[in-house]
Amino acid sequence: MASTNLKSSESGYRPELDDTERASRDEIMALQTRRLAWSLAHAYGNVAHYKTAFDKAGVHPDDFRQLSDLQKFPFTVKTDLRDNYPFSMFAVAREKLVRVHASSGTTGKPIVVGYTQADIDVWSEVMARSIRAAGGRAGMIMHNAYGYGLFTGGLGAHYGAERLGCTVVPVSGGMTERQVQLINDFRPDIITVTPSYMLAILDEFRKQKLDPRKSSLKFGIFGAEPWTNAMRAEIEQAFDMDATDIYGLSEVIGPGVAQECVETKDGLHIWEDHFYPEVIDPETGKVLPDGEKGELVFTSLTKEALPIIRYRTRDLTRLLPGTARAMRRIEKITGRSDDMLILRGVNVFPTQIEEQLLKCGGLAPHFQIELVRAGRLDNMIVHVEALPHANDAAGRTASGKELAHHIKSVVGVSMTVRVGDPASVERSAGKARRVVDNRPKG
């Protein structure tokens, strides 16, 4: 559901659309068909992995004649990129690369992605389009608190803002006290940051006894982790700003694959002129009709250095018709097919815990799930923290019972809730570490 616009409505916001954003569905699909034919041929002709995978599946780029033919082609998964570390998935000579990024990777080798100058130009363009859809305009100041370096978030947002004509403050993550100082001193209009770190910035505003609603921030662009509409409402109310969701992943290009439009806030419009989406059944791989929930899959249409064919993102969502734009939308990501937790036969996503936590007036919006094993049974402990006004024994007990009741009622399983003092839950300057697995190994 779209939330009420705040600062955007007061400032007389009007959407600004480029030619592709104004295109009809027929025009978009014709463009996708031409670009998909090129991308499949480019991957097959220049990447040994794709030639082997296509040949094994018994398909050739010439077999692609219409959009529905794409489902004949094999999927690409994360291990394919790891197995071809560092540069074997690239379709151009290494000397043609102007930039290399890599994922942090929790185990094994990182995922390496590369860009030609044309790829950087496309990335800058889709990020500029995303910032504009979120309310940004040329001449505005953008406070960029996404991490710089090998992570694609910081530089992706940076180049897009410069392409749009914004003034960029490249703060990166961390140093929360300094973040607040620069927001107060430089008076930016836009902030780009993970939603969990925005809550840490909010905590610092309050710690410094500053009113966040009096800040200059009008538009927030939040991504890199799942977050809920309840958290959106919390941020918008706290800062008197418009908060929108951005989606991307390094393997596809980085941030800027899809963006929520500030005038509707009803899901993320995919920039379908560069990225072709499918939603599949995560178990069978079958393509699902628009409107059915499943795993999101992307094929790049214009990438030179790293064409990506039917990449399984593991993100769970559904495809919906366009509203503010003709290009289709995805629902807010509700979780991932590979970070779903199963407790006593019940599927649990961290976002479900977040939604229930935000209903509890005595608790701060920070949490961490700890997985433990008691005897033969797994258990989840939800670590949360009391707000100062409810930080006595009675208040913590009541808040813990309230959250446990909400979780049991909505998720359908009992969990242990432990309510700590304010600031007792681990903070992150990047993606929040929502789950800690302390079960015995082996």
Side-chain angles (χ1 to χ4, degrees), residues 371-422:
L371 300 175
V372 297
R373 181 165 296 151
R376 297 180 182 273
L377 296 177
D378 289 345
N379 190 26
M380 289 186 194
I381 302 172
V382 183
H383 294 275
V384 294
E385 61 189 45
L387 289 171
H389 75 267
N391 190 31
D392 56 51
R396 289 195 299 269
T397 299
S399 295
K401 287 181 178 178
E402 181 187 7
L403 178 57
H405 172 74
H406 287 322
I407 292 171
K408 174 68 173 174
S409 299
V410 175
V411 182
V413 66
S414 297
M415 298 182 194
T416 302
V417 175
R418 292 185 181 166
V419 182
D421 292 330

Side-chain angles (χ1 to χ4, degrees), residues 106-388:
T106 53
T107 58
K109 295 172 180 174
I111 300 299
V112 177
V113 297
Y115 304 79
T116 64
Q117 185 57 55
D119 294 333
I120 293 291
D121 289 342
V122 167
W123 192 13
S124 301
E125 197 59 47
V126 294
M127 268 306 305
R129 187 191 283 173
S130 297
I131 296 167
R132 184 162 41 76
R137 293 291 181 269
M140 288 185 174
I141 298 175
M142 190 181 90
H143 181 102
N144 187 14
Y146 283 125
Y148 281 68
L150 288 175
F151 171 60
T152 54
L155 283 168
H158 184 119
Y159 272 57
E162 287 187 341
R163 175 66 61 91
L164 183 59
C166 297
T167 302
V168 184
V169 183
V171 187
S172 194
M175 300 181 295
T176 312
E177 188 174 336
R178 187 178 178 212
Q179 301 266 1
V180 173
Q181 178 190 337
L182 292 178
I183 290 168
N184 281 324
D185 292 348
F186 291 0
R187 300 194 58 75
D189 307 275
I190 310 162
I191 186 167
T192 50
V193 64
T194 60
S196 57
Y197 191 50
M198 191 65 185
L199 292 175
I201 291 173
L202 174 60
D203 287 346
E204 183 63 26
F205 262 88
R206 289 169 173 163
K207 180 180 175 184
Q208 294 185 28
K209 296 185 170 30
L210 297 169
D211 183 355
R213 292 181 62 83
K214 293 181 179 177
S215 81
S216 60
L217 294 171
K218 303 178 184 72
F219 305 106
I221 303 172
F222 303 108
E225 61 191 16
W227 58 300
T228 60
N229 281 318
M231 185 182 283
R232 185 213 304 274
E234 168 103 358
I235 292 170
E236 289 193 329
Q237 180 61 30
F239 281 94
D240 186 24
M241 72 188 304
D242 285 297
T244 56
D245 200 357
I246 191 168
Y247 177 85
L249 62 166
S250 299
E251 299 92 322
V252 177
I253 203 166
V257 174
Q259 167 68 42
E260 213 167 21
C261 298
V262 72
E263 65 267 34
T264 51
K265 298 181 189 171
D266 58 355
L268 301 94
H269 282 80
I270 301 163
W271 306 134
E272 287 195 84
D273 49 336
H274 295 287
F275 316 107
Y276 185 78
E278 301 172 277
V279 169
I280 64 168
D281 182 316
E283 299 297 325
T284 67
K286 179 186 174 185
V287 176
L288 299 174
D290 287 6
E292 289 195 23
K293 185 163 287 188
E295 180 184 336
L296 186 59
V297 171
F298 274 112
T299 299
S300 63
L301 305 184
T302 55
K303 283 176 69 183
E304 293 181 342
L306 184 68
I308 198 84
I309 308 300
R310 304 197 79 202
Y311 184 74
R312 295 188 61 162
T313 68
R314 300 294 179 182
D315 290 322
L316 299 176
T317 187
R318 59 191 182 124
L319 284 169
L320 300 168
T323 52
R325 310 290 188 273
M327 288 174 270
R328 286 176 293 176
R329 294 169 295 144
I330 50 173
E331 255 184 352
K332 256 183 171 297
I333 303 298
T334 56
R336 291 173 54 83
S337 61
D338 59 356
D339 77 356
M340 179 177 70
L341 308 171
I342 302 176
L343 181 62
R344 296 188 286 279
V346 177
N347 297 341
V348 181
F349 289 102
T351 48
Q352 293 174 306
I353 307 302
E354 179 188 278
E355 285 175 335
Q356 304 317 309
L357 172 60
L358 290 167
K359 294 178 181 177
C360 301
L363 298 176
H366 303 282
F367 73 99
Q368 192 170 70
I369 299 169
E370 181 185 9
L371 300 175
V372 297
R373 181 165 296 151
R376 297 180 182 273
L377 296 177
D378 289 345
N379 190 26
M380 289 186 194
I381 302 172
V382 183
H383 294 275
V384 294
E385 61 189 45
L387 289 171

Side-chain angles (χ1 to χ4, degrees), residues 22-34:
R22 293 191 186 94
S24 68
R25 280 304 305 167
D26 285 347
E27 290 171 325
I28 291 167
M29 291 168 70
L31 179 64
Q32 289 174 326
T33 303
R34 292 195 302 274

